[in-house]
Every structure is written in structure tokens, then in C-alpha cells.
Amino acid sequence: MPGPLSVSRNVPADLLEKLVYDALVWCSLHGLVVGDKGVQRSGTDPGIGLVHAPFTLLPMPFPKGHWRQACELAPIFNELVDRVSLDGNFLQDSLSRTKEVDAFTSGLLDIHSKMLEINKREDIRLGLHRSDYMLDAEANLLFQIELNTISSSFPGLSCLVTELHRNLINHYGKDLELDSRRVPGNTAISRYAEALAKAWNEYNNSSAVVMVVVQTEEHNMYDQHWLCTLLREIHGVVSVRKTLAEIDAEGRVLPDGTLLVGGQTVAVVYFRAGYSPNDYPSESEWRARLLMEQSSAIKCPSISYHLVGTKKIQQELAKPNVLERFLENEDDIAKLRKCFAGLWSLENAEAVKSAIERPEFFVLKPQREGGGNNIYGDNIRETLIRLQQEGSEQAAAYILMQRIFPKASLAYLVRKGICHQDHAISELGIYGAYLRLLPVECSRQFVRMSKKRRGILYHLCIIHSISF
């Protein structure tokens, strides 16, 4: 089936100039903005040094069948994350070698281990995830790039990009030969807010707040503020923003498990930081992470959900017969396997040999989130040979992944007010929300909604969006 849209020809220069001008005005009027890194205080104080977020002027084409496939995978991956998170031994064993060579992963595992020792129950668990895919042009198969279980960014700004595209096509559709009705809907930000509000409601303390854990300097704060604004205006839920250092200084856990930060009871901890070693410059930040995990506040994500999103766990789940450890439905397992690209540990001598000989067909990935960390091309060969020569245990900090080759499409990329025309490849990002409750915790609303297995209730939101 044809994709939602297809931009296959050059846009005339005079029309392109109008499109860019109108798009930049729209971004300014509707909050499609980020902080300008060149302006002091733009990452700390709102309203200072705003600049439009980088965006594609028009939607990228994507086959409808593969788009639907990705949407259908969202609830399956959500449940898989929850199931894997409950198997503490699997997480610890799978990441044990990585722990020896990666201090950041080791810190996360230490907190997870402490929770296992005290048998910490998480009766209410909330996941706000984003699964990213690419469509391999030669195989015509949709492959998962990664599953983000912490700080899944851009639910707010991506919704605005959808509105921007529709607005431009409504005005210039005849000239572009495009139909705005074929732009897929995007409700990611409202559904994320809804999921957070439902979790807050289940905590059952009307004076409690949602605490957003943020970085000290955050130029993408407006994407986060969109979510907090909807929480307040639609659901009447108050949110506060705190860094890990502030939580360490202001936070404490009461004997009954209540988390207090700055004197306020925290119902839900929503992490938009804490996914990178840079977020933990001192022991203060690690103390804060442990403090939150020890509390009865609902964590999004919990330490176990966070670990499920690591590259190593992604690689372990792709091994034969591992999915069957967590899921019973054979159709669901088959759907997941179909989207798994080739994934190998560096213990696989044959895969390492192939990557050294033909590095252009592989990606070398460390256990990091946030982008910009992967190794490509000749750098893969150099890194693998160095690790072999050193006999280094550092190899456990990486996985090898099959490189995916999507078809490049003509794109108009706008950054800092300048439009760049080139062929580009894109990812499809699918947002999903998952709230899990035990029956004793559930409101009547959730009891009425439940159609699942005895003893566990689910609330699923399937949210779809083309990421940018």
C-alpha cells in the first residue's frame, strides 16, 4: 500500500521560500521550540534564547502496512518490558559481564540488586516507551533499532510537527499534490499525560505531585513543559522539576515509604534525566536514584524497566527461545522476532570476524542512551581489532548489530531558519504507555476495563508518531 504521503519531486524555489517562511512563523506561534545553545541561560531559564526545533518541512513517505505493523507491536513490547522487569535474575545475569567493565551499568545494577535483596514490590508500574524502527529497502522488512524505556523524548514536539505538516499541506496541498488527510494522527503528548495522570490517581493522594527529574541544563525543556502543562490544565495534576542533586539535598523517605522532596509528597517520578553517565557526576546523584527507588513513589521507569532498555538486554532477547521465557502467545512472539535485526555479543567469534571483514554491514553499540554513541565503518574494524589485541574485557560493554539500509527520500530539513535540501533516511518512532496495577490497588474504573489474566490489570495506550 502507498505510504501516508510521498514527496518525490523538487519543490519550486518560490514555493519553497513561502513554505519555509510560513513554517517558521508557525513554529514561533505554536511552541515548536528548543533552547538556543548559543545563548546563555537558554537551557536553564524558560523564555530565554528560543529557536525553532530542527524539523522536516514536509512528511517523509512510509508504507502504510509497515506503519501498522509497528503500531501493533507497541502493546506487545510494553508487556514484554514488564515481564522481563520481573525477572531479576535474568537482568543481573545478562548484564553481569557488562557490569565488570562499565561503571554506569554497574551503578544501575547495584541499585537493582539492593531492591532484590529487600524484595521491593512495585505494585503500580508505569512505562512511557518509544520503539524506533527502520525499513530495510532490500529485504522490505521493518527492523527495530532500539526500545527506549527511559526519557522517551519528543512526544510534545513531534505532535506539533504533525500539526505543522497538516497546516502547510492544507494551505499548499494543491501545489504540492499532497493530501493532509494522509498524515497519520499523533496524540502522543495527550496520551502520555493521561497515563501519568492515571498513575498519579492510583497513588491516591490528591496533594501529591508528579516530579520530573531533569538535567541541570536542558535545551529540550519545552518538550517536557508541554507534558506538564497538559497534566495541570486537563487533569489538575501539579508537577515539579528537580535535578538529581536537588533530590539528594531535599529528599527523604518516610518509614511508610512516602517520598518527600522539598516538603512535597511525590506520587510519580518521571525521569527525563538519569539515562547517561553524565547525569551522575558525583555520589550525590547516585544517592538520589537509590532514594527514589527505595520509596513507594511510582517510578517511570523503575530501575528494572530502565535495565530492560539496555542494548545488552535487547541482544539477549533476540536469542533463540528467550522470548518464550516471558511470553506465551506464539503469534506475539513471532511478531516480535520478525522485527529483530541481527544482534550479537562480542563473544560470538564468527560475528566479530564478519564485522572486521565487512564493517559496512554492522553497527557497534555501547550500553548508552541519548544518541551519538554508535560506531560505524572502519572505526568498527579498528575498535574490534584493538579489543582483540588487548584481550580486553571491555568487549562486554558492546554489542554488534546488523546495519539496516533504508531507502533515502528527498527531504527539506530546516535548522536555524535555513532549509537544506537533500536525500535522507528516517526512523519511525512509536510511542506507547503501559500502566500495570495489582487488583488491590485498582480503582473501579480499572476493574471495569480489565479483560486480561487473573491477578493483573493493564491499561494500554497505543500511540503512533513519525519521529524526527
Side-chain angles (χ1 to χ4, degrees):
M1 299 181 71
L5 287 161
S6 181
V7 183
S8 58
R9 62 181 180 84
N10 288 317
V11 177
D14 58 340
L15 176 58
L16 184 61
E17 184 177 352
K18 293 178 183 178
L19 285 166
V20 172
Y21 183 90
D22 285 359
L24 294 173
V25 170
W26 195 97
C27 290
S28 301
L29 295 178
H30 292 83
L32 183 49
V33 296
V34 293
D36 186 346
K37 293 182 180 180
V39 177
Q40 192 175 8
R41 295 170 51 207
S42 66
T44 55
D45 299 331
I48 303 296
L50 303 186
V51 64
H52 73 85
F55 62 90
T56 56
L57 188 63
L58 296 170
M60 300 291 283
F62 202 86
K64 186 182 293 184
H66 290 101
W67 175 75
R68 286 176 172 169
Q69 177 191 353
C71 293
E72 291 172 359
L73 286 167
I76 306 174
F77 271 116
N78 284 343
E79 184 166 353
L80 178 64
V81 169
D82 188 67
R83 296 287 193 90
V84 176
S85 76
L86 295 173
D87 195 332
N89 290 333
F90 175 79
L91 292 174
Q92 288 284 332
D93 293 344
S94 298
L95 291 163
S96 60
R97 291 196 65 239
T98 304
K99 177 179 181 178
E100 296 174 3
V101 298
D102 188 308
F104 176 60
T105 302
S106 177
L108 298 176
L109 282 171
D110 285 345
I111 294 175
H112 181 254
S113 179
K114 288 182 173 69
M115 297 305 101
L116 293 178
E117 289 173 6
I118 64 174
N119 195 25
K120 180 71 166 58
R121 284 171 57 89
E122 297 289 343
D123 291 339
I124 306 175
R125 292 198 293 278
L126 175 64
L128 298 179
H129 306 146
R130 194 189 73 234
S131 187
D132 297 333
Y133 303 89
M134 282 186 176
L135 179 61
D136 188 86
E138 183 175 347
N140 195 34
L141 292 174
L142 189 74
F143 288 126
Q144 186 186 56
I145 303 299
E146 63 179 353
L147 176 63
N148 300 277
T149 61
I150 183 170
S151 189
S152 301
S153 60
F154 295 119
L157 296 192
S158 69
C159 289
L160 292 175
V161 171
T162 297
E163 293 181 28
L164 168 64
H165 288 164
R166 283 180 170 164
N167 180 274
L168 292 175
I169 295 172
N170 281 336
H171 282 85
Y172 298 101
K174 289 185 179 180
D175 295 321
L176 296 167
E177 299 180 5
L178 297 175
D179 184 351
S180 65
R181 292 173 297 181
R182 301 183 73 186
V183 178
N186 188 340
T187 58
I189 191 64
S190 61
R191 301 304 293 275
Y192 264 25
E194 178 188 356
L196 281 165
K198 287 184 180 294
W200 174 87
N201 186 65
E202 292 300 327
Y203 188 81
N204 198 27
N205 183 336
S206 60
S207 64
V209 301
V210 171
M211 182 173 69
V212 185
V213 183
V214 298
Q215 294 174 333
T216 304
E217 187 174 8
E218 177 57 85
H219 293 93
N220 192 33
M221 70 171 75
Y222 303 100
D223 180 63
Q224 302 165 6
H225 280 299
W226 272 112
L227 184 54
C228 294
T229 298
L230 292 183
L231 268 176
R232 182 182 67 251
E233 294 182 351
I234 297 177
H235 303 283
V237 178
V238 175
S239 62
V240 297
R241 294 168 62 85
K242 297 288 182 180
T243 66
L244 287 168
E246 289 172 334
I247 294 167
D248 179 51
E250 303 173 16
R252 61 190 179 101
V253 175
L254 301 183
D256 65 356
T258 300
L259 175 63
L260 295 179
V261 178
Q264 294 179 293
T265 299
V266 177
V268 181
V269 179
Y270 172 47
F271 286 92
R272 288 300 292 261
Y275 56 84
S276 165
N278 296 332
D279 293 333
Y280 301 85
S282 71
E283 286 301 312
S284 173
E285 288 76 17
W286 285 111
R287 285 195 302 267
R289 186 67 188 268
L290 176 61
L291 181 78
M292 290 182 285
E293 206 64 33
Q294 290 171 326
S295 76
S296 60
I298 302 163
K299 274 74 68 176
C300 180
S302 66
I303 193 68
S304 57
Y305 270 41
H306 185 171
L307 291 171
V308 175
T310 59
K311 303 296 187 294
K312 181 61 179 176
I313 296 300
Q314 180 186 11
Q315 180 250 311
E316 288 291 320
L317 291 172
K319 288 182 176 179
N321 303 317
V322 175
L323 287 178
E324 286 80 357
R325 178 170 176 168
F326 304 105
L327 300 174
E328 299 86 18
N329 188 294
E330 293 182 359
D331 289 339
D332 288 348
I333 292 171
K335 289 176 181 178
L336 293 179
R337 284 227 171 88
K338 186 177 180 181
C339 78
F340 285 168
L343 292 157
W344 306 272
S345 76
L346 298 196
E347 294 176 334
N348 189 315
E350 184 176 345
V352 171
K353 180 175 182 292
S354 296
I356 291 174
E357 293 174 350
R358 302 292 299 276
E360 66 273 19
F361 291 109
F362 294 86
V363 180
L364 188 60
K365 292 188 171 185
Q367 304 299 318
R368 293 290 179 268
E369 302 298 332
N373 300 298
N374 297 337
I375 300 172
Y376 298 91
D378 289 338
N379 289 332
I380 293 178
R381 178 188 292 117
E382 294 169 3
T383 302
L384 293 176
I385 291 175
R386 175 177 57 79
L387 292 172
Q388 286 182 337
Q389 291 174 343
E390 294 175 353
S392 175
E393 292 297 323
Q394 291 293 326
Y398 298 89
I399 67 164
L400 272 172
M401 183 175 181
Q402 166 194 351
R403 187 164 183 177
I404 301 162
F405 295 93
K407 181 181 179 181
S409 301
L410 182 63
Y412 298 89
L413 310 174
V414 185
R415 180 187 292 272
K416 294 186 177 180
I418 300 174
C419 183
H420 306 270
Q421 178 181 343
D422 207 341
H423 282 78
I425 61 175
S426 61
E427 289 185 358
L428 173 69
I430 302 294
Y431 292 92
Y434 183 93
L435 182 62
R436 179 193 185 278
L437 307 102
L438 294 181
V440 69
E441 307 289 345
C442 295
S443 66
R444 292 180 180 178
Q445 174 188 8
F446 277 88
V447 172
R448 288 197 300 269
M449 290 172 61
S450 174
K451 300 293 182 182
K452 293 287 183 177
R453 294 182 305 280
R454 185 181 308 164
I456 299 178
L457 298 178
Y458 296 89
H459 173 250
L460 296 176
C461 306
I462 305 175
I463 306 163
H464 25 82
S465 166
I466 295 178
S467 62
F468 65 96

